[in-house]
């Protein structure tokens, strides 16, 4: 009998798994809006996007799976120095988790398979931003932020985070219009290897940010409900007028091999010198990641193309 090991969070980030079997409706199990009499204070987050939201409303989680990956994929906001590492997200250290005595665990449909284990330790609420049908992660993040903030007795802080994000999008829209960037299409990718990329289209957080900022997404093919497609780099020639923005992390070996690739060097944006390297922003994040992506995009487009 063949068995399959479920992918880890890091595998999903790097490899672009499509997790349709785990998808649930928006905010499943998290729709109640009543403020608890004694709001939870010791929160464990099973998801980076929820963790950055907790930090954004002033109540950082006490524990998180694989916090070492935060610097590769999220970067900001900074994690608390004393945050506990509860191991792999699909196979967390349940003894440590129980010893932490959390008031609440927040999770996503991606971890639906272990939710009964989490519920045996503490009350557990599930929030979903990336789920079928293809939607708008920015809008879903607004809804989830408000619901999470109310559940924690921090509704004003939740509204403040939403207001900051909406103001940031409006400011960036003005910036891109004034700088003349808005009229030219942009493709945003992560390199999976020298021949394949994950490219972000409709239904992605990055696509939502570009739309809100008045930018044109050069990738118009259908995307999965996570908002991306995995394609060979030759497919990027379908949008010859686009600039290309690629996100870290990317290995020096990948960059070196691309520089020697005839296929890569034949692509229109490479020949035109319109390739931009961007620091990491969480592609499956929430409002803090949306703001970071918008700021980074403005910065790299202002600085000009990258040489690697």
């Amino acid at each position: 009998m063949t068995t399959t090991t479920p992918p880890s969070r890091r595998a999903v980030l790097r490899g672009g798994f499509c997790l349709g079997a785990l998808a649930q409706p928006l905010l499943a199990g998290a729709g109640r809006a009543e403020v608890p009499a004694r709001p939870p204070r010791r929160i464990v987050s099973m998801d980076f996007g929820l963790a950055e939201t907790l930090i954004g409303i002033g109540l950082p989680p006490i524990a998180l799976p694989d916090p070492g990956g935060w610097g590769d994929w999220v970067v900001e906001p900074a994690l608390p120095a004393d945050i506990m590492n509860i191991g792999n997200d699909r196979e967390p250290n349940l003894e440590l988790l129980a010893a932490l005595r959390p008031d609440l665990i927040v999770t996503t449909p991606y971890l639906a398979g272990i939710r009964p284990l989490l519920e045996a330790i503490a009350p557990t609420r599930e929030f979903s931003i990336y789920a079928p049908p293809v939607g708008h992660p920015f809008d879903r993040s607004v809804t989830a932020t408000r619901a999470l903030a109310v559940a924690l007795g921090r509704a004003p802080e939740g509204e403040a985070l939403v207001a900051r994000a909406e103001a940031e999008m409006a400011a960036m829209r003005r910036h891109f219009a004034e700088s003349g960037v808005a009229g030219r299409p942009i493709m945003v990718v992560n390199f999976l290897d020298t021949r394949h990329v994950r490219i972000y289209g409709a239904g992605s957080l990055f696509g939502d940010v570009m739309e809100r900022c008045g930018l044109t997404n050069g990738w118009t093919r259908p995307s999965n409900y996570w908002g991306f497609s995995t394609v060979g780099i030759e497919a990027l020639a379908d949008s010859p007028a686009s600039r290309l923005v690629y996100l870290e992390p990317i290995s020096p070996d990948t960059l070196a091999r691309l520089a020697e690739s005839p296929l890569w060097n034949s692509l229109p944006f490479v020949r035109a010198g319109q390739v931009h390297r961007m620091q990491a922003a969480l592609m499956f994040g929430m409002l803090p990641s949306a703001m970071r992506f918008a700021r980074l995009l403005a910065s790299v487009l202002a600085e000009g193309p990258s040489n690697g």
Side-chain angles (χ1 to χ4, degrees), residues 26 128-144 201-212 224-227 285-287 290:
L26 177 65
S128 178
I129 310 302
Y130 303 90
V134 174
H136 290 282
F138 189 98
D139 292 339
R140 290 179 175 180
S141 294
V142 168
T143 302
S204 69
L205 183 66
F206 296 162
D208 274 7
V209 169
M210 286 193 283
E211 181 179 353
R212 282 176 172 265
N224 59 25
Y225 64 80
W226 291 83
M286 293 175 64
L287 298 181

Side-chain angles (χ1 to χ4, degrees), residues 56-239:
I57 64 174
L59 192 61
I62 61 171
L64 184 72
D66 187 28
W70 189 271
D72 291 333
W73 301 102
V74 186
V75 184
E76 66 171 331
L79 277 180
D82 59 351
I83 194 165
M84 295 295 295
N85 181 357
I86 54 173
N88 183 283
D89 54 355
R90 295 303 299 264
E91 297 179 347
N93 184 329
L94 297 178
E95 290 184 359
L96 175 58
L97 188 55
L100 291 172
R101 301 178 63 85
D103 300 324
L104 178 69
I105 300 172
V106 293
T107 185
T108 70
Y110 171 58
L111 299 178
I114 66 166
R115 181 168 176 174
L117 300 177
L118 302 178
E119 290 177 327
I121 294 171
T124 301
R125 296 187 70 168
E126 183 178 280
F127 297 82
S128 178
I129 310 302
Y130 303 90
V134 174
H136 290 282
F138 189 98
D139 292 339
R140 290 179 175 180
S141 294
V142 168
T143 302
T145 297
R146 286 173 169 153
L148 180 59
V150 168
L152 301 178
R154 302 183 74 85
E157 290 83 356
E159 290 300 327
L161 177 55
V162 170
R164 288 199 303 274
E166 291 179 338
E168 186 91 58
M169 297 302 107
M172 287 299 172
R173 187 180 186 94
R174 292 191 297 271
H175 166 78
F176 287 126
E178 292 168 359
S179 64
V181 172
R184 185 170 179 182
I186 300 167
M187 293 187 291
V188 178
V189 306
N190 283 108
F191 280 99
L192 303 180
D193 54 40
T194 57
R195 296 295 301 268
H196 300 89
V197 296
R198 178 195 291 144
I199 185 164
Y200 299 95
S204 69
L205 183 66
F206 296 162
D208 274 7
V209 169
M210 286 193 283
E211 181 179 353
R212 282 176 172 265
C213 291
L215 300 175
T216 299
N217 192 335
W219 187 253
T220 59
R221 291 191 195 178
S223 300
N224 59 25
Y225 64 80
W226 291 83
F228 69 84
S229 303
T230 300
V231 300
I233 62 172
E234 67 278 1
L236 302 179
D238 287 0
S239 185

Side-chain angles (χ1 to χ4, degrees), residues 283-299:
M283 65 289 292
F284 305 134
M286 293 175 64
L287 298 181
S289 286
M291 290 186 281
R292 174 174 169 81
F293 174 74
R295 292 192 299 268
L296 290 174
L297 188 58
S299 177

